[in-house]
Amino acid sequence: MDFELRIVANAEELNQVAAAEFIRQANEAAQETGLFTVALSGGSTPKNLYALLAGALSWQAPWEAMHVFWGDERHVSPDHVDSNYRMTYEAMLSKVPIPPANVHRYKSEQTDAHNVADEYEQILCAFFHLSPGQLPRFDLVLLGMGLDGHTASLFPGTAALHERQRLVVANWVEQFNAYRMTMTFPVLNNAACVIFLVSGGEKAETVHRVLEGEALPARFPARLVRPAHGRLLWLVDKDAARLLAVKPR
Ligand code: 6PG
């Protein structure tokens, strides 16, 4: 296995382990470089992790050195109920001393999703001082996984799965009849560390197919996340891991 698998008892332990990893990596990066760059996941799984980081553990995180991005965003305004930014702001960012300039959200209120993606790509290029063709290297990327094996907004059968040049694209997702902005696989796979957070028995079949199945990766996009020069940790609770043949030692 070219990834680490850690099976935890339940969603609560998933958040505790993820928070400990997050804080450890944040402090390590902040001490080494003065910065910690993280691309956060949307969805519901990480919400309680963000609340935990903003709560009892908040004092342990180097908020001043932290720069927060998102792996993807919905094409809605930042105060919309479906906004990943809004979820993260309410759960964490509104409660911690992170400088506002360190929060790099998609300007998803813009009418044209392609402009939103282009602008976010420029934000990455500027922040990471990228030359043409260079990739940003996040210290940490947090990802979730949907029942269909999607991650970020890289859904099965969508154009973004094949993007190898752009850093961020507007990806048309038929099932939502909407665009979603998403970082592309080259960016995700250039991270120093990627942590998948997966919880719940309903995902057990997909977890098995993604981690142990032979199906075409494009059928389960999460399989395509393989950091070339980085660490890949699957944090999975017992219910979501119940169909795995391989159990970590
Ligand atoms: C999003 C996420 C998406 C999410 C999965 C899992 O914008 O929703 O980027 O990839 O991580 O859909 O979502 P849950 O954690 O809600 O199951």
Side-chain angles (χ1 to χ4, degrees):
M1 275 197 305
D2 53 357
F3 57 87
E4 297 168 53
L5 171 64
R6 176 130 181 223
I7 299 173
V8 294
N10 50 41
E12 187 182 351
E13 188 183 356
L14 187 91
N15 292 322
Q16 289 163 352
V17 172
E21 266 294 328
F22 185 101
I23 289 168
R24 182 185 63 75
Q25 292 189 30
N27 283 307
E28 201 172 278
Q31 280 151 21
E32 278 175 18
T33 68
L35 290 182
F36 173 60
T37 57
V38 57
L40 298 175
S41 171
S44 56
T45 302
K47 200 170 177 177
N48 289 334
L49 163 60
Y50 301 156
L52 185 56
L53 289 170
L57 302 178
S58 173
W59 63 276
Q60 296 181 22
W63 299 107
E64 293 290 328
M66 196 179 303
H67 283 263
V68 164
F69 301 78
W70 280 264
D72 68 324
E73 184 55 280
R74 289 80 182 279
H75 189 204
V76 295
S77 63
D79 60 356
H80 190 281
V81 65
D82 290 342
S83 163
N84 287 335
Y85 167 79
R86 173 176 159 178
M87 178 275 285
T88 316
Y89 181 81
E90 289 175 347
M92 178 169 74
L93 298 176
S94 56
K95 301 167 182 168
V96 296
I98 187 169
N102 291 22
V103 177
H104 309 275
R105 73 172 181 85
Y106 294 76
K107 301 297 186 297
S108 53
E109 61 273 24
Q110 293 178 75
T111 311
D112 185 331
H114 296 284
N115 289 346
V116 178
D118 294 350
E119 195 176 280
Y120 207 66
E121 183 164 285
Q122 289 313 308
I123 288 172
L124 294 182
C125 291
F127 181 84
F128 287 96
H129 308 296
L130 302 180
S131 305
Q134 273 193 321
L135 293 168
R137 183 170 171 79
F138 284 94
D139 293 311
L140 176 61
V141 172
L142 293 181
L143 291 174
M145 185 194 73
L147 294 177
D148 59 1
H150 82 262
T151 190
S153 283
L154 298 160
F155 286 82
T158 60
L161 295 189
H162 312 292
E163 180 57 55
R164 294 293 179 272
Q165 305 306 317
R166 300 287 307 278
L167 308 181
V168 184
V169 294
N171 193 29
W172 179 258
V173 187
E174 193 58 36
Q175 68 211 61
F176 301 130
N177 192 35
Y179 279 104
R180 284 202 174 177
M181 287 70 66
T182 186
M183 289 182 185
T184 59
F185 283 117
V187 174
L188 304 181
N189 285 330
N190 198 48
C193 180
V194 175
I195 299 180
F196 274 96
L197 304 171
V198 186
S199 168
E202 72 281 3
K203 295 192 177 171
E205 175 62 27
T206 308
V207 168
H208 165 64
R209 302 280 293 269
V210 167
L211 297 185
E212 299 177 326
E214 299 308 317
L216 287 174
R219 171 73 186 77
F220 293 96
R223 281 172 65 108
L224 291 168
V225 176
R226 286 272 189 273
H229 311 287
R231 180 181 169 217
L232 175 58
L233 168 61
W234 279 80
L235 261 184
V236 183
D237 74 5
K238 203 158 57 326
D239 289 344
R242 66 182 164 79
L243 296 179
L244 286 179
V246 177
K247 294 285 191 272
R249 286 179 294 284

